[in-house]
Amino acid sequence: MSFQRLQNGHVRDSLGGKIDEYLDHRELPMYKDKPYNYSASSKTKPIYKRWRTIAGIALATVTLLYWLGSSNSTDSKPHAKPNKSGSWGWSNKKLGIDWNSRREEVKETFVYSWNGYEQYAWGFDQYRPLSKDGAQMNEQGKGLGWIIVDALDTMMIMNLTSQLSHAREWISTSLNYDQDYEVNTFETTIRMMGGLLSAHYLSNSFTDLANVKDDDKGAPGEDLYLEKATDLADRLMGAFDSPSGVPFASVNLQTSLGKGSHVDDGASSTAEASSLQLEFKYLAYLTGEKNYWEKAERVMEVIDDNGRQDGLLPIFIYPTTGTFMGENIRLGSRGDSYYEYLIKQYLQTEAEEPLYENMWSESLAGIRKHLITYSNTSHLTVLAERPSNLEGAISPKMDHLVCFMPGTIALATTGGVTVNEAKAAGKWNEQQESELRLARELTKTCYGMYKVMATGLAPEIAHFALSEPPHMESDGILESAELTDDPEAEWRKDYEIHHQDNHNLQRPETIETLFYMYRITGDEMYREWGWEIFQNFLKYSKADDNAGYTSLAHANEIPPIEKDNMESFWLAETLKYFYLLFSPPDFLPLTSVVFNTEAHIFPRFKLARGLQTGWERTPRDAQGVMQKAFKKSKTLIVQKPLQHETAPSSLPDEQKAGEGHVGLSG
């Protein structure tokens, strides 16, 4: 499709310039890969080739035999037979879909994006594909590897050896974290430290993935990724040196001095403080250094000892006191990954820390009690917000960031095995059935965020028309309407997309959920939804001249107005989850790995090397209220407060407002 290219600052009547000025000053929610063939298992010649020379066969017979041959070819596995545990039994309702070919298209899109960055902005932390230039996060220093390190494991799983070799060379010769510069503690941990640890894991455990000789055992650079991750972690540790143990929002890489946020009265975002644990725990497991584990886990104890009702937390917490600021409760920006990391900490240590599963279950029950409601006409399931407190008015607002949640619910419901496996093992009950149904309905709502837009690409935020008073899930589950293609369909009226919220920043959360939903349920519908969304990215966000893909300032009009930025999480998360969605289900199985909130891949492991859960929960009553009479006797270890001052964030304007995944990306 050809249309006049519109971008910020270059639009008739200065519309783009006005939008760009608005976005730059508005606080946006943020968030937040050698040959390796899992699928080829048969060399059987397709049936249709055996019959090609037989004359007189009817066209219908030829078509049928062709389909039968495709189902037995090495390039498609939608009809895979059950494995040894009798698990898969997938079925492909749409005949002849070659998911391997579609996966290759995702790889080609990654290469196109990477080549643009490599050509026009190599070594820079930010990339503008329309301007064809880049910028550093630290204007006085060298690049910190935001895009390069974030994309390492995607290149590995995609078997992109030459691209990986170039990235690894830059890390070896140019990446130096000894810079007098303040970074966001959370973003740096999940993207940079997480990216390095994931690269270390994959390069050591999957030697057929994009094999680079310098990674080989005994090679001089064998431990490059781990060494860089450890150096970075040691610099980040100063963020935890607060009076409460809750990390400061930012930290100076050279001095390791933690700094309170320059906004929000110095409070840290709850999600940011509680989404460092997977990374520091895995590093502790690799190195045997308990300090990483203990500092990160201490945060969870301080948070939980606040005894918040029904496991639902306000979105700000003070590092100085370990207590919450305000009563704004949501699973969007600044709240989201706290809940994600509860269940993932439980899975990371192979279910050996059951208190995290307990915390997850409590929070999910609280979400269903207080936040799950339905749109007025079509009864779409909405995960809403409580801006004042749990007894206050409900806000019918869903950040796109919330769309991580249905996939996480599905993962928690089975622990990573398929529904068929869980049922065969006798580990399925009405509660799990109910939670999976919720996951399905929320996924549908998130898919609708794409379908309702002119470009088919979701807005940053959606609002919903609710009944008055709102119908909550506790009032009874409602059946949702079908999301038909009819442009006048009633379901579309339940979505209220505000003009200032219709930008698309290449976010991964819905694709992440589609990946989990397909892996858990085996339902091909989720792949088909993902393919539809992927095609819309190709159609509306591709930059010219092999420059990559860009965010959109306005995604609800055609042609869209482009925003000149390619997020690092486009490479690290969005394209990675597309690739995994279209991959065979036994590629990086969910029973073996856990993904951090930036889609970096860590192994599951058993507690070892003296690592253990270092705290116990204070008992709660049936209503989830903490029983202070039973509160364990302990003295809060108050460290001598470091001289910390508010300081400007190291993130772009768009990232300052949110919890991980804007601006810098991810």
Side-chain angles (χ1 to χ4, degrees):
M1 176 179 181
S2 62
F3 49 75
Q4 180 182 1
R5 182 169 294 280
L6 303 176
Q7 68 187 63
N8 295 346
H10 302 280
V11 188
R12 291 187 300 273
D13 303 323
S14 299
L15 177 59
K18 293 177 182 178
I19 291 171
D20 194 43
E21 180 180 0
Y22 179 82
L23 291 178
D24 285 342
H25 290 84
R26 179 172 178 263
E27 289 192 347
L28 297 175
M30 299 186 331
Y31 186 83
K32 111 115 191 349
D33 307 281
K34 299 168 212 263
Y36 195 75
N37 188 357
Y38 275 99
S39 61
S41 58
S42 170
K43 300 296 183 182
T44 304
K45 187 176 183 179
I47 296 174
Y48 79 93
K49 289 185 178 180
R50 305 175 196 171
W51 290 86
R52 247 185 344 190
T53 59
I54 300 178
I57 294 183
L59 179 60
T61 305
V62 173
T63 303
L64 175 62
L65 292 173
Y66 178 86
W67 169 71
L68 291 173
S70 297
S71 69
N72 288 322
S73 75
T74 62
D75 290 333
S76 78
K77 199 174 180 177
H79 299 274
K81 295 179 181 179
N83 60 19
K84 293 180 180 179
S85 60
S87 61
W88 295 116
W90 306 126
S91 64
N92 190 347
K93 295 180 181 179
K94 290 193 174 182
L95 307 182
I97 294 179
D98 185 350
W99 289 109
N100 277 1
S101 175
R102 292 182 172 185
R103 180 175 63 166
E104 286 302 304
E105 289 195 46
V106 176
K107 181 191 292 189
E108 291 169 6
T109 302
F110 178 94
V111 171
Y112 183 90
S113 303
W114 180 262
N115 287 350
Y117 169 71
E118 198 171 36
Q119 179 176 354
Y120 299 114
W122 182 248
F124 285 93
D125 294 328
Q126 295 175 285
Y127 176 44
R128 296 184 285 258
L130 305 183
S131 302
K132 299 182 178 64
D133 63 14
Q136 301 293 21
M137 299 300 296
N138 179 6
E139 296 178 357
Q140 284 73 46
K142 297 181 179 180
L144 292 168
W146 287 102
I147 293 176
I148 295 173
V149 173
D150 220 4
L152 284 173
D153 55 3
T154 308
M155 288 184 279
M156 288 180 175
I157 69 170
M158 290 183 176
N159 302 315
L160 298 173
T161 305
S162 61
Q163 291 86 346
L164 178 64
S165 296
H166 191 197
R168 195 182 190 286
E169 178 187 21
W170 184 89
I171 292 170
S172 178
T173 60
S174 300
L175 180 57
N176 181 7
Y177 289 123
D178 189 18
Q179 299 188 37
D180 186 11
Y181 179 60
E182 290 160 16
V183 296
N184 179 277
T185 305
F186 164 74
E187 298 285 356
T188 308
T189 299
I190 65 167
R191 302 184 197 205
M192 300 299 93
M193 184 174 150
L196 291 165
L197 290 174
S198 180
H200 172 79
Y201 165 59
L202 293 177
S203 63
N204 281 273
S205 299
F206 299 90
T207 55
D208 287 335
L209 289 176
N211 194 4
V212 176
K213 290 183 179 179
D214 289 339
D215 287 340
D216 293 347
K217 189 172 181 59
E222 175 189 1
D223 293 325
L224 173 66
Y225 302 131
L226 181 57
E227 289 170 357
K228 290 292 185 181
T230 303
D231 174 49
L232 179 58
D234 290 341
R235 298 173 186 278
L236 296 173
M237 287 296 283
F240 294 93
D241 289 335
S242 70
S244 71
V246 171
F248 291 114
S250 62
V251 61
N252 185 292
L253 287 178
Q254 191 170 78
T255 65
S256 192
L257 181 66
K259 298 292 182 73
S261 173
H262 73 291
V263 294
D264 306 316
D265 196 28
S268 296
S269 137
T270 300
E272 292 181 355
S274 59
S275 303
L276 312 168
Q277 287 66 31
L278 295 182
E279 296 78 9
F280 278 97
K281 284 185 170 184
Y282 180 41
L283 183 61
Y285 174 79
L286 288 172
T287 64
E289 294 293 333
K290 297 181 183 180
N291 191 42
Y292 299 135
W293 184 290
E294 291 167 351
K295 289 282 189 179
E297 192 171 54
R298 169 67 177 154
V299 181
M300 303 306 298
E301 181 180 14
V302 172
I303 286 175
D304 195 56
D305 276 350
N306 277 268
R308 298 297 302 195
Q309 181 183 350
D310 294 326
L312 300 180
L313 310 184
I315 60 174
F316 292 105
I317 188 168
Y318 288 111
T320 50
T321 63
T323 56
F324 291 105
M325 180 184 82
E327 292 291 338
N328 190 342
I329 295 171
R330 67 185 184 215
L331 269 76
S333 62
R334 298 185 177 275
D336 50 3
S337 49
Y338 162 75
Y339 304 94
E340 175 188 359
Y341 270 38
L342 290 180
I343 191 61
K344 287 186 175 180
Q345 284 184 80
Y346 172 69
L347 297 176
Q348 181 185 39
T349 53
E350 295 284 24
E352 291 191 317
E353 298 184 283
L355 85 168
Y356 291 116
E357 182 188 38
N358 181 265
M359 292 171 69
W360 159 263
S361 297
E362 180 181 289
S363 294
L364 180 57
I367 290 165
R368 301 185 73 172
K369 177 181 178 182
H370 298 285
L371 303 181
I372 296 296
T373 184
Y374 298 91
S375 66
N376 187 32
T377 302
S378 300
H379 302 157
L380 299 169
T381 301
V382 178
L383 207 174
E385 301 180 358
R386 296 278 184 177
S388 53
N389 55 56
L390 292 181
E391 283 69 45
I394 195 168
S395 171
K397 169 178 170 285
M398 273 183 69
D399 297 350
H400 183 272
L401 295 169
V402 175
C403 289
F404 84 95
M405 189 60 177
T408 303
I409 293 173
L411 175 66
T413 299
T414 70
V417 302
T418 68
V419 172
N420 287 346
E421 287 175 318
K423 290 180 177 179
K427 298 179 179 179
W428 195 255
N429 54 40
E430 291 184 7
Q431 178 69 18
Q432 289 170 298
E433 189 70 41
S434 173
E435 291 175 1
L436 185 62
R437 176 175 178 170
L438 174 62
R440 285 186 178 275
E441 289 299 322
L442 283 173
T443 303
K444 183 177 180 179
T445 301
C446 290
Y447 168 63
M449 288 186 186
Y450 287 79
K451 200 170 181 66
V452 77
M453 298 286 283
T455 61
L457 296 175
E460 180 71 357
I461 299 170
H463 290 76
F464 295 84
L466 303 183
S467 59
E468 184 58 46
H471 184 99
M472 305 300 292
E473 187 186 39
S474 56
D475 298 325
I477 296 174
L478 300 179
E479 294 291 335
S480 61
E482 181 183 356
L483 302 183
T484 64
D485 293 331
D486 180 0
E488 302 301 322
E490 287 296 313
W491 69 265
R492 296 176 182 272
K493 299 176 183 178
D494 283 0
Y495 286 88
E496 298 177 354
I497 311 301
H498 298 174
H499 185 73
Q500 67 269 24
D501 297 329
N502 69 11
H503 44 286
N504 179 279
L505 301 178
Q506 306 172 306
R507 289 200 184 276
E509 289 78 20
T510 294
I511 315 308
E512 172 186 357
T513 271
L514 294 177
F515 160 65
Y516 281 117
M517 294 300 292
Y518 171 66
R519 286 287 183 94
I520 298 298
T521 69
D523 192 336
E524 292 281 335
M525 174 182 69
Y526 298 115
R527 278 179 147 184
E528 292 163 9
W529 287 359
W531 178 246
E532 177 186 322
I533 294 169
F534 176 69
Q535 290 179 302
N536 289 329
F537 274 118
L538 300 189
K539 190 174 184 179
Y540 293 112
S541 66
K542 188 175 185 179
D544 294 333
D545 304 323
N546 297 313
Y549 286 76
T550 188
S551 300
L552 301 179
H554 273 196
N556 206 21
E557 55 189 78
I558 297 177
I561 300 174
E562 296 170 313
K563 182 170 178 59
D564 192 5
N565 187 47
M566 189 177 83
E567 299 287 354
S568 81
F569 53 76
W570 168 250
L571 302 174
E573 297 187 78
T574 308
L575 289 178
K576 180 186 290 163
Y577 280 128
F578 273 128
Y579 187 79
L580 292 171
L581 175 62
F582 304 147
S583 294
D586 54 357
F587 181 65
L588 295 174
L590 295 178
T591 51
S592 300
V593 300
V594 62
F595 292 82
N596 85 338
T597 196
E598 186 75 6
H600 293 311
I601 306 160
F602 302 156
R604 297 191 185 193
F605 55 82
K606 293 282 189 179
L607 294 177
R609 309 184 75 168
L611 303 175
Q612 60 183 355
T613 309
W615 63 288
E616 296 179 359
R617 298 193 76 195
T618 302
R620 271 73 170 168
D621 63 18
Q623 285 70 45
V625 178
M626 188 165 66
Q627 301 298 287
K628 297 183 188 285
F630 295 97
K631 186 169 177 58
K632 53 187 176 294
S633 175
K634 65 173 183 278
T635 302
L636 176 64
I637 301 175
V638 180
Q639 303 169 7
K640 181 179 180 181
L642 294 175
Q643 182 181 359
H644 71 280
E645 56 201 57
T646 57
S649 169
S650 61
L651 301 177
D653 288 343
E654 289 185 1
Q655 262 188 311
K656 291 175 185 176
E659 181 275 315
H661 285 77
V662 171
L664 210 196
S665 322

